[in-house]
Amino acid sequence: MTSVSPIPSWNPGPSRASAATAGRADTPSSPVPSPSAIVAFGGPPAVSSLVPSPMVWESASRDKVSEAMTKSFSSYAFGGRFSGLGAAMLGQAKLGNYNFSQAMRQPPPSTTPNVYAASGIAPGSLHGNGEDRVALGITTKSGVEVKLALDSQGDGLAVNMTTSGDLSDAEARALGDLAQGFQEAIDGMGQSTPKIKLEGLMQFDQQVLASVKLHAEVKVRGEPESVQTLDFQADGAQRKVSFSGEAGSLDLKVDASQLNTLGSKERQAKALGSYMKQFDQAASRGHGDAGLVSMLKDSFTALHSNTATPQVATDSPETGRWRLAAEDKSILTGLADFSASVSQAVKFSNPMRSAEKDGFNYEVSQKTVQAGASQDARSIRQQQQSKLSASYHETLVPGVPLRLTASTESQNYTYHQIEDTASSDAQVAYKDGKMVKASLQQEGRQSEHVMKYFLGKLESDKTTPGNYSVLRDLLPVLGPYKTGEKDTSPEARLEQRKQALLTLSDDVLLQSYAGQTVSMWQADMQQEKGEAAAA
């Protein structure tokens, strides 16, 4: 992951040599007297030392925000420059102060006192012109727009907060409650390896606030210079995150509008854990950038938090297309629909073979469709998909770094090309209020192409495939007409059914790299084939 280089600070300490050089540029050259010829008369030295100029402020007022600016200004890094500022600004909103502007600028040292004031450069010109900037926009349910902006340059710092109207006490409290979350998001982007920290902002009070938007830009000072950006948006129905930087890009969207498909908190936690495992598996198999994959995991978890209370069987269909029964929900992950993609910046690390590239592209999604003419003729279908395309070079000697050059002696490596896909398709359908179809199909295809080179010569070229496909009829499990054994009590049959639904809810989770779950299904299929053969 790329590092964010320090922001230069206007607090230099010029050496006496440089000051002397500056003085010589303004006076004619003359022979330098020997030490024995120098006589001190008690007056000032011939060349004055540069002295720090006083800090210039946009406003003379001092509050918690101004204090935070003073403390953080001396920091060189982006994260330090905005340290505590986001929290301090939203903290002021909680106190009723939600329209203010402040800026500070440190003039360069000078031999002339107050020369900065004479230059006419106002600190306020920093607003909207920072090399590093953060903007937060919040809209309340009543329609009031609140905007916060932070700007930083090497010689100054500026903050601003405005509202389009008066805030109620509840709205001011809701803003203040986001102070820590806002600061965590800023600090995450300010780390040497940026992180997406949105958990706090995602906890906004949806009864009071309608939407939250965040935009952050960080200038990466290197060769060449570049910019890292983060955009986040969340409201009651959708959440979005996008990141772009030297390491690559990330995009994630979550559709939380279908409330009736959401599962319990426990169900969602289990599904999230399953996806976290799959993200790690994809990163390991494709040698994905650890920083980007960490961003995916953090943002995926954050955007699936603070969801509305799941609909229960007695709820009105207004919160979803249909009222879903327990059997319907057993084929669903419990998560809101989403689409996510990570694309690592492509690198060409082998000068002898320009066609070989190092890259990592991963996509994963879920889509749920509810159809039918009526509640008694409804159908529900949920599809999950993942796709991994990756390529990388690997050393022949574990632990020894690979350094590919134009020399054949360096060409000792394996080149890997990965192409993996996985899918899960679960569906149920009803006719005249009775379940007539229930199925689950899962597929996975893996391919790894490996070419081995020694001293620049191809020694082997091998492709390893891996495929699985499972189709399961779920009517025996979900069908309401199964009575079980005659001597089984109604209570026992109810408990058996409950356990069957719980097991199925685990089985429907996407398996990009299947293990025991597929083996169990294959055992079921093999048993069915054996019975058919015996007949």
Side-chain angles (χ1 to χ4, degrees):
M1 188 65 189
T2 185
S3 298
V4 180
S5 302
I7 298 177
S9 174
W10 272 113
N11 288 308
S15 64
R16 294 183 180 274
S18 62
T21 301
R24 286 196 298 271
D26 298 330
T27 59
S29 60
S30 59
V32 179
S34 64
S36 60
I38 297 177
V39 179
F41 292 97
V47 178
S48 300
S49 299
L50 294 177
V51 295
S53 299
M55 190 74 69
V56 180
W57 291 83
E58 176 185 37
S59 172
S61 63
R62 292 293 182 269
D63 50 28
K64 294 294 184 181
V65 176
S66 300
E67 292 178 7
M69 294 173 70
T70 302
K71 292 178 181 179
S72 65
F73 179 73
S74 59
S75 175
Y76 291 90
F78 165 85
R81 270 292 175 89
F82 290 152
S83 177
L85 277 182
M89 293 174 73
L90 282 180
Q92 288 293 298
K94 201 168 187 177
L95 298 175
N97 181 19
Y98 39 79
N99 280 287
F100 59 85
S101 177
Q102 183 62 285
M104 60 186 299
R105 207 158 192 169
Q106 174 67 69
S110 173
T111 57
T112 306
N114 300 324
V115 66
Y116 184 79
S119 68
I121 303 176
S125 62
L126 277 171
H127 291 295
N129 296 311
E131 291 180 335
D132 301 297
R133 63 183 67 179
V134 174
L136 179 69
I138 300 173
T139 302
T140 68
K141 286 283 190 177
S142 65
V144 178
E145 295 183 357
V146 183
K147 297 181 179 180
L148 292 83
L150 298 83
D151 291 271
S152 172
Q153 284 188 359
D155 65 343
L157 195 59
V159 299
N160 182 265
M161 181 173 180
T162 61
T163 60
S164 63
D166 292 332
L167 297 175
S168 67
D169 291 342
E171 291 170 339
R173 283 195 302 272
L175 290 178
D177 290 343
L178 291 179
Q180 188 59 36
F182 182 33
Q183 191 60 55
E184 289 173 354
I186 294 174
D187 295 343
M189 279 293 286
Q191 297 184 25
S192 58
T193 299
K195 296 183 179 297
I196 298 180
K197 296 295 183 183
L198 299 172
E199 299 93 332
L201 282 180
M202 269 305 306
Q203 303 311 308
F204 68 98
D205 188 342
Q206 298 185 48
Q207 301 300 316
V208 179
L209 305 180
S211 67
V212 177
K213 297 181 181 179
L214 173 71
H215 174 77
E217 293 183 21
V218 180
K219 184 176 181 180
V220 181
R221 293 152 178 86
E223 294 295 339
E225 290 187 342
S226 62
V227 176
Q228 292 181 156
T229 63
L230 171 67
D231 284 284
F232 160 71
Q233 178 180 347
D235 55 38
Q238 68 171 356
R239 296 93 185 269
K240 298 189 295 184
V241 169
S242 64
F243 171 85
S244 177
E246 279 189 327
S249 61
L250 176 150
D251 284 286
L252 173 61
K253 297 178 181 178
V254 173
D255 177 9
S257 62
Q258 298 189 61
L259 303 184
N260 63 339
T261 65
L262 298 179
S264 65
K265 296 298 181 182
E266 294 77 14
R267 175 75 183 127
Q268 293 183 42
K270 184 173 290 187
L272 285 173
S274 175
Y275 271 108
M276 295 299 105
K277 179 180 178 181
Q278 291 182 72
F279 297 163
D280 287 336
Q281 289 175 329
S284 176
R285 180 165 166 82
H287 286 210
D289 181 87
L292 281 176
V293 176
S294 178
M295 287 184 180
L296 171 63
K297 294 172 68 176
D298 289 342
S299 56
F300 191 86
T301 301
L303 265 61
H304 280 284
S305 67
N306 195 20
T307 53
T309 303
Q311 182 193 46
V312 297
T314 57
D315 284 346
S316 167
E318 293 178 359
T319 56
R321 187 177 178 91
W322 309 119
R323 291 188 302 271
L324 300 186
E327 292 79 10
D328 303 336
K329 289 201 171 186
S330 68
I331 69 161
L332 306 178
T333 66
L335 296 178
D337 286 350
F338 64 88
S339 63
S341 65
V342 172
S343 182
Q344 190 171 310
V346 175
K347 296 181 180 179
F348 297 90
S349 59
N350 192 355
M352 286 193 67
R353 293 181 176 84
S354 59
E356 295 178 354
K357 63 181 181 180
D358 299 286
F360 177 89
N361 292 276
Y362 181 64
E363 301 175 4
V364 62
S365 65
Q366 173 188 294
K367 182 179 181 181
T368 307
V369 176
Q370 302 178 67
S374 67
Q375 176 77 26
D376 290 341
R378 70 185 185 276
S379 66
I380 304 97
R381 183 179 187 182
Q382 186 171 85
Q383 294 173 293
Q384 304 169 71
Q385 295 180 333
S386 69
K387 179 180 180 182
L388 170 65
S389 297
S391 54
Y392 60 90
H393 295 80
E394 196 166 44
T395 179
L396 293 180
V397 183
V400 177
L402 183 63
R403 295 183 176 88
L404 298 174
T405 67
S407 170
T408 56
E409 284 74 14
S410 71
Q411 299 291 305
N412 306 300
Y413 65 94
T414 53
Y415 179 59
H416 302 248
Q417 293 173 294
I418 307 292
E419 292 292 338
D420 295 347
T421 61
S423 65
S424 177
D425 188 349
Q427 50 186 314
V428 295
Y430 291 80
K431 182 179 181 181
D432 298 329
K434 296 182 179 181
M435 183 181 295
V436 294
K437 179 181 181 180
S439 65
L440 174 64
Q441 181 173 8
Q442 291 193 326
E443 295 181 346
R445 301 180 185 278
Q446 295 90 40
S447 174
E448 182 176 15
H449 181 204
V450 182
M451 292 181 288
K452 180 181 178 181
Y453 289 88
F454 184 71
L455 295 178
K457 294 183 179 180
L458 180 64
E459 287 200 337
S460 65
D461 188 336
K462 183 179 180 181
T463 299
T464 303
N467 305 309
Y468 75 86
S469 178
V470 175
L471 175 60
R472 190 177 181 187
D473 182 5
L474 301 180
L475 271 177
V477 177
L478 299 180
Y481 325 112
K482 184 177 180 180
T483 60
E485 298 180 4
K486 295 181 179 179
D487 57 349
T488 304
S489 67
E491 294 78 10
R493 289 199 298 269
L494 183 62
E495 181 62 25
Q496 289 176 358
R497 184 173 182 77
K498 180 180 178 181
Q499 292 301 320
L501 295 182
L502 288 175
T503 301
L504 180 58
S505 66
D506 291 341
D507 294 345
V508 299
L509 295 173
L510 181 66
Q511 298 291 327
S512 299
Y513 303 97
Q516 286 80 7
T517 303
V518 173
S519 299
M520 179 187 70
W521 291 349
Q522 289 174 340
D524 291 344
M525 296 175 67
Q526 290 171 359
Q527 180 179 359
E528 294 173 1
K529 291 180 179 179
E531 293 173 352

